[in-house]
Amino acid sequence: MSLAPRVVLVHRTTEYEELVARHGTHGQAAFFLRSRGRDIGEVAERSRRDRRALAEVASKVPLTWRQASVERADLDRFLFAPEDVVVVVGQDGLVANVAKYLSGQPVVGINTDPVRNPGVLVRHGVPDAPKLLAAAADDGTPFEELTMVEAVADDTQRLVALNEIYLGAAGHQTARYRLGHEDDGGVVESQASSGVLVGTGTGASGWLRSVWQERSSALPLPGASESRLLWFVREAWPSPATGTSLVAGELAAPARLRLTVESDRLVAFGDGMESDAMELTWGQTVRLG
């Protein structure tokens, strides 16, 4: 007997909820914002709109299906099942946040605020939820598959991300490492920088695009489903011991970027999830592709 599909609603704590949690009451939060020239009314209305959308999507789940809900901060502790249908209700970034914890489950993105959210990954409105849920449970429905970026350390740690992986110092210190392409005949360069960013075609609408645009890079941005990545070294520092000749490039599958740590502690995290980072220490090697 097969289980009915389970819908997992992924959402994020709103700005209003964070303010009230920090200041204790609505009134204290309102006073705090007012002292900084902001009105809590607009923030509270956005929160009500998000919560109405979440409740409305939940109400459209078929009665015979199971249902669960998970907040962004709890994603690394939530156990997704193979039969899950994941419904992201909120911002584009939430799709990237949840993607690293999935292994083939379909994802539907519901945009709760089209005025503020671009809708790159949350492309649908709340009224579309019933037909989207039915389609997601149908084995014959075509899905768009997106390329992810992967980092694998020599101690078997593995990290994946939908937008980008950042590798650098945990604070604002300089990251020191040796960098090179695996298929480049052993050519490596010692570097001191603000870190390395490796991004996908999906990430080309976010942080990766910002760096690409700032550099006026001639490298073409990859498509979301294209098996090609771009990488950039941030603020590489030239010195007698460190170089700046390998600061950008592309990785077409199955090419890998190889980085050997020369600092006491570096971290790698994906899609802004710093709380779920890979930790690396002196002499460790990590491969990105």
Side-chain angles (χ1 to χ4, degrees), residues 115-139:
V115 175
R116 294 172 62 91
N117 301 331
V120 176
L121 295 173
V122 285
R123 303 170 182 171
H124 308 286
V126 173
D128 298 324
K131 66 179 181 181
L132 291 168
L133 289 172
D138 184 350
D139 291 337

Side-chain angles (χ1 to χ4, degrees), residues 180-195:
H181 283 267
E182 281 200 334
D183 57 353
D184 202 20
V187 177
V188 296
E189 182 175 70
S190 292
Q191 293 187 342
S193 76
S194 298

Side-chain angles (χ1 to χ4, degrees), residues 203-220:
S205 62
W207 192 6
L208 184 73
R209 187 180 188 90
S210 297
V211 179
W212 176 83
Q213 186 170 313
E214 183 182 40
R215 297 279 182 90
S216 299
S217 175
L219 294 169

Side-chain angles (χ1 to χ4, degrees), residues 263-285:
S263 297
D264 285 337
R265 177 173 176 256
L266 296 184
V267 297
F269 60 85
D271 299 330
M273 301 288 281
E274 294 184 62
S275 60
D276 190 15
M278 174 193 297
E279 296 202 6
L280 304 160
T281 189
W282 189 282
Q284 278 194 272
T285 298

Side-chain angles (χ1 to χ4, degrees), residues 32-51:
F32 171 79
L33 287 186
R34 192 161 54 247
S35 68
R36 284 157 175 77
R38 290 191 64 189
D39 179 14
I40 199 170
E42 182 262 339
V43 179
E45 176 54 33
R46 286 209 315 270
S47 179
R48 285 191 290 268
R49 187 164 57 243
D50 284 352
R51 288 297 168 252

Side-chain angles (χ1 to χ4, degrees), residues 195-268:
V196 180
L197 191 72
V198 185
T200 68
T202 302
S205 62
W207 192 6
L208 184 73
R209 187 180 188 90
S210 297
V211 179
W212 176 83
Q213 186 170 313
E214 183 182 40
R215 297 279 182 90
S216 299
S217 175
L219 294 169
L221 288 169
S225 59
E226 188 178 350
S227 296
R228 184 170 62 90
L229 310 174
L230 292 189
W231 61 271
F232 294 99
V233 176
R234 300 173 64 235
E235 300 164 333
W237 176 254
S239 76
T242 57
T244 60
S245 63
L246 298 176
V247 295
E250 59 182 6
L251 295 169
R256 293 288 186 273
L257 196 65
R258 183 182 178 94
L259 187 148
T260 302
V261 179
E262 292 186 334
S263 297
D264 285 337
R265 177 173 176 256
L266 296 184
V267 297

Side-chain angles (χ1 to χ4, degrees), residues 133-181:
L133 289 172
D138 184 350
D139 291 337
T141 299
F143 292 93
E144 181 181 8
E145 295 187 347
L146 305 180
T147 296
M148 300 184 77
V149 54
E150 173 191 65
V152 180
D154 55 8
D155 62 357
T156 73
Q157 292 185 85
R158 179 175 179 267
L159 177 71
V160 294
L162 181 59
N163 281 341
E164 71 279 315
I165 286 178
Y166 167 77
L167 193 150
H172 294 286
Q173 296 84 8
T174 299
R176 298 182 181 276
Y177 51 85
R178 294 197 310 275
L179 181 72
H181 283 267

